Amino acid sequence: MVAQPTKSAWNQALLGWVLLVVGFGILFWFIASWWNQTEPASGPQKLLIGAGFLLAALGIAWVANQFVNTPNPVIGFTPAALTLLVVVVTAEALLRAYQVPPGLIPTPSRVLSTFFAVRDVLLQDAFQTVVLEALVGYLIGCGLGVFTALLVSRYVFLERGLLPYATVFSSIPIVALAPVLVKMVGIDWQSKAVIVAITVFFPVVVNTFRGLSEVSPLSLDLMRSYAAGEVQQYRWLRLPNALPFIFNALKLGTTLAMIGAIVGEFFGANGQGLGFRIQIEAGRFGFDIVWSAIIVASLIGIAWYNLVAWLERRLTGWHVSFR
Amino acid sequence: MMQSNTPNTHLPSSSLEVRPIVSVRQVSMIFQTGTVALKNANLEIAQGEFISLIGPSGCGKTTLLRLLADLIKPTSGTIQIGGKNPEEARKSRAYGYVFQAPTLMEWRTVLSNVMLPLEVMNFPASERKARAEKMLTLVGLEKFARHYPWQLSGGMQQRVSIARALAFDPQLLFMDEPFGALDEITRENLNLELLRLWRETGKTIIFVTHSIPEAVFLSTRIVVMTPRPGKIETVIPVDLPQPRTFETRELPEFFQIATEVREALRRGHGYEVTE
Amino acid sequence: MTRISPHLGPMLVVALITLALYWPLMYLANIPAAQRALDTGAALPCKTAFECATQLRSPVLPSPQQLWNGFRNLMFPLNSQSAIPLNALVTALETIVGLLLAALVGFFFAIGMVASRAFERSLLPWIVASQTVPIIAIAPMLVVVLGQYGVQGWLPKAIIAAYIAFFPIAIGVAKGLKSPDPLSLDLMKTYNASNWQTYLKLRFPASIPYLFTAFKVAMTAALIGAIVAEISTISFQGIGKMLAENSRASDVVAMWVIMLSSAVLGILLVALVNWLERLLTPWQRVRTAATPLPKQARVSERGGAG
Ligand SMILES: Nc1ncnc2c1ncn2[C@@H]1O[C@H](COP(=O)(O)OP(=O)(O)O)[C@@H](O)[C@H]1O
Ligand SMILES: [Mg+2]
């Protein structure tokens, strides 16, 4: 049921915006007044931060009701954006109020300024981690995965003999695989690409196989009635049917690839890479750089995922999940 | 214990004026999409009747039933169930509802599915099992109490859902195409069983169908509905002798009434016929 | 499932072929390294590169003999602080505690998302986005920070495992809570069921299969989280500690043994979830075999009419 915007709902939203503004006002006022302080704040001041957070959170809850049925994705994103803002600003205020040493937990503002200061280094790291390691490994792993799935779906013997292993192998923790592979292949980017390829390979095989084999028997009969050959059957029935499954694995693979590359670098890198940066800076309490590296990795991860999701929409727009 | 085992042996037509258990006055339902699902519907149903709602898809049968059950609210008009408004009636648990699909909970055994309403309604624990078992006997499934729904055929699942609707002994039973998805043979058997239940328990049943023979066979009266906008075209009484048996379908009156229903449906352009 | 699986034969053949290929591969990979070792004049108990290939300190691929010895060294005594069984147990416990913790928090988030569209609109984008982010990167930092506030021992590892397992569980449970079809919800409404009763009798039970599906994904993720957490701090126990130690000592054979053992650990943990699932959701249809109706059922379907 679509809720009709009633008068009281509008009043609630208005009150929500007021609460939001007051809450943010309190938080920003505190941050501004404590910008150069070195003392921890007093008890009442800490309570005030709590109150500011609660007011803003309550405000979001009421404002969000107005966006519940918004079809426009950008406008519909408003509550989420506000939530992030509240969390970040409250974190900043609390860290300043308790005077947490920046070596332990850096304030968001400090992370931002560090981010801009070290962005060149981080970009180099990102190139190594994402393009050389994650992307190369991803392409190899996905390509081999789809090829293997084609073979496995064609030959029953391979299905019975190989597929159970693929399922089992996907429950192996990559962290245990990483040190062995780094020792075997070396500390340069190739070893991480191999780790990534292996981690994305198994889910791609399992998913693609499911898509290729779970075609309706009636469609198979139809193809048979057209006297379609093996290749035609794959071209016109099995592969299109498998596309949504393949894309699910490809989307999952983007995350696995980033994790694989970063974890791989924990066990040996040639002095570059986001994982290497995170590891080394965490060890010497340079958490502002760690956070910056995480932000870079996150932005790339989200962008990559959405790129694949966009491709999926282009290619499999017919599928039920998009209706 | 069942409180209302007054058998439905006959139905004095005067009982209509005496005590309508369901009364629908000038009820309209317009959805937010603009669909006029029901327009100015009027209907009075007496205690103990077996009413069928018949009409092509989209003529508002389900909508009327959902209005009676307080699952949606009418745009205008008044509905009374046993002298109460639908919401009060729902809150006093006046009716049982059998949906088109069995809607059994797959994690519950057959027996505990029948016990579900009793649990929700806080019946004493000792009473629940006895009642549920009795209802399963009533629908002939006592041997399947420990099975899970997926182990039963579609017809058996629908019988479980009928037992579940009867478990808390409501006076009224709403059934929305309960046998729509079943094959003809199973459906005829279940029709006979349903009539037996109705005779033995004295319930009032409102039954949605789009099968003309089914409606004629089961009902004391047939409400013919037509689409665009959904409205009640006419109400046709069915004076076939009770109890009804397989032979009832062979009676000349049976065909007469079926023809009458068919013509009423045509009058409302229910079926696009070119003559 | 009492009869022998048709998979067994082909699986054995594949395993045998893999083993048969391993030997030549191992020689191929190790002989250059062995030759180099001989050329540098290292003190090796062997004469030819071919002989030395199975006895290198840091082989590219360890020989089966080396692996076997490694297993014997690292498995026993069972209760030794430096043997695999005890450390694997610690890691497994951290993972399981983390998973339960994640389930607890995940349930609250899921209920919030199902109960309030506003809550969902405000948080879901971040929960989804966080799945596309290498969460693991936060682990090393989180361990250090938690340690500063006195959270030490196995607890920070469990917390990190929980942190990583949280997202799939919250999403899975929310899906499960939303899974009842509209008719079932209508049914509860006709009973005049309270909100709480609808959760208790309908939504929670409906979400259990989804919870287990999420657990299977989350279990591997949580195990990785626990191991990374062990690696990133001073740990005294756990698979991660052993990995870190042997990685520093460059004991390649030991690393292989630990890798294989943690693979087994991962498989066992997922098997545990599968076993619990079968135990706790007896209503779930066995999908492998088409289950025929019980014999009685078919008979009385016909004889039902009275
Ligand atoms: N929730 C709803 N929102 C909008 N339109 C609806 C809704 N429910 C039913 N309708 C429309 O109302 C009309 C009557 O529907 P219904 O009562 O389900 O018909 P039927 O007689 O087949 O049971 C149909 O045109 C249907 O599309
Ligand atoms: Mg209907």
Side-chain angles (χ1 to χ4, degrees), chain A:
Chain A
M1 302 284 127
V2 183
Q4 291 280 7
T6 58
K7 199 159 178 222
S8 78
W10 283 114
N11 284 339
Q12 202 189 36
L14 194 67
L15 190 61
W17 283 111
V18 171
L19 287 181
L20 204 58
V21 170
V22 173
F24 270 120
I26 293 175
L27 292 172
F28 278 120
W29 168 80
F30 176 84
I31 292 170
S33 70
W34 227 252
W35 195 258
N36 288 319
Q37 290 280 352
T38 47
E39 311 262 295
S42 67
Q45 281 168 318
K46 288 173 186 164
L47 277 181
L48 197 66
I49 297 173
F53 171 74
L54 283 180
L55 285 179
L58 200 65
I60 290 179
W62 286 0
V63 167
N65 274 325
Q66 286 300 302
F67 292 93
V68 161
N69 293 307
T70 316
N72 183 328
V74 177
I75 298 175
F77 191 68
T78 314
L82 287 172
T83 308
L84 181 68
L85 197 62
V86 168
V87 169
V88 169
V89 172
T90 308
E92 176 91 30
L94 281 177
L95 291 174
R96 287 185 182 277
Y98 284 89
Q99 288 294 324
V100 177
L104 196 51
I105 310 178
T107 59
S109 57
R110 195 187 160 95
V111 172
L112 268 184
S113 65
T114 308
F115 179 81
F116 283 107
V118 299
R119 61 181 186 277
D120 289 340
V121 177
L122 286 181
L123 277 182
Q124 272 175 15
D125 286 342
F127 177 79
Q128 161 109 3
T129 303
V130 179
V131 180
L132 292 185
E133 298 169 2
L135 193 60
V136 169
Y138 178 82
L139 292 177
I140 294 174
C142 292
L144 282 181
V146 171
F147 180 72
T148 310
L150 283 172
L151 282 183
V152 167
S153 76
R154 173 62 187 77
Y155 300 101
V156 181
F157 178 84
L158 288 182
E159 177 197 337
R160 296 195 171 152
L162 273 184
L163 209 60
Y165 289 115
T167 322
V168 164
F169 270 89
S170 41
S171 53
I172 295 176
I174 18 161
V175 261
L177 200 69
V180 170
L181 284 168
V182 170
K183 272 276 164 350
M184 200 149 79
V185 185
I187 58 169
D188 282 339
W189 62 269
Q190 290 90 341
S191 60
K192 268 71 77 179
V194 171
I195 294 171
V196 169
I198 291 178
T199 42
V200 298
F201 174 77
F202 292 106
V204 169
V205 171
V206 173
N207 273 292
T208 309
F209 171 77
R210 273 190 55 199
L212 289 173
S213 55
E214 283 180 14
V215 287
S216 95
L218 287 180
S219 306
L220 275 177
D221 284 347
L222 186 71
M223 293 309 283
R224 229 165 272 140
S225 78
Y226 297 159
E230 195 102 26
V231 176
Q232 286 166 314
Q233 197 189 67
Y234 270 83
R235 167 69 187 81
W236 299 111
L237 179 60
R238 290 188 187 269
L239 269 174
N241 189 66
L243 264 189
F245 293 81
I246 296 178
F247 269 107
N248 263 342
L250 292 187
K251 285 191 289 187
L252 179 70
T254 61
T255 319
L256 290 179
M258 289 298 286
I259 295 176
I262 289 175
V263 169
E265 287 174 10
F266 288 175
F267 290 95
N270 53 3
Q272 262 188 2
L274 291 171
F276 166 80
R277 194 68 56 205
I278 288 168
Q279 171 100 356
I280 204 136
E281 291 296 337
R284 53 176 183 230
F285 292 79
F287 288 137
D288 41 359
I289 297 181
V290 175
W291 272 113
S292 305
I294 289 172
I295 292 175
V296 172
S298 305
L299 290 179
I300 294 172
I302 291 172
W304 190 358
Y305 180 93
N306 282 315
L307 184 72
V308 178
W310 174 80
L311 259 180
E312 178 184 25
R313 267 195 304 279
R314 293 279 324 254
L315 293 178
T316 67
W318 46 268
H319 196 250
V320 270
S321 51
F322 291 111
R323 257 172 231 155

Side-chain angles (χ1 to χ4, degrees), chain B residues 66 70-71 90-91 93 95 99 103 105-108 116-117 119-121 143-144 147-148 150-153 156 159 164 189 193, chain C residues 181 183-184 186-193 197 201-202 205-206 282-285 291 293-294 296-297 300-302 304-306:
Chain B
R66 290 170 64 82
D70 186 42
L71 294 174
R90 177 172 65 82
K91 292 199 166 148
R93 287 137 178 176
Y95 64 84
F99 295 95
T103 60
M105 300 194 175
E106 54 177 13
W107 52 89
R108 286 174 168 257
L116 173 75
E119 287 169 26
V120 173
M121 297 175 189
K143 287 205 196 96
F144 296 88
H147 285 61
Y148 282 105
W150 63 266
Q151 297 172 301
L152 270 56
S153 69
M156 293 160 80
R159 270 145 75 193
R164 182 180 60 185
N189 282 335
E193 249 187 285
Chain C
D181 63 305
L183 284 190
S184 297
D186 278 348
L187 183 74
M188 296 307 282
K189 198 176 171 196
T190 71
Y191 298 156
N192 191 26
Q197 281 175 320
K201 307 268 179 208
L202 184 59
W283 66 85
Q284 296 258 74
R285 193 190 297 254
T291 335
L293 277 176
Q296 302 167 280
S300 97
E301 177 67 298
R302 242 178 294 119

Side-chain angles (χ1 to χ4, degrees), chain A residues 1, chain B residues 31 33 35 37 56-63:
Chain A
M1 302 284 127
Chain B
F31 285 106
T33 50
T35 314
S57 299
C59 70
K61 307 180 295 289
T62 300
T63 302

Side-chain angles (χ1 to χ4, degrees), chain B residues 5-27:
Chain B
N5 279 356
T6 44
N8 281 317
T9 43
H10 61 288
L11 281 163
S13 54
S14 59
S15 71
L16 251 177
E17 288 84 62
V18 179
R19 194 167 154 230
I21 186 170
V22 172
S23 115
V24 177
R25 294 223 176 87
Q26 288 299 99
V27 167

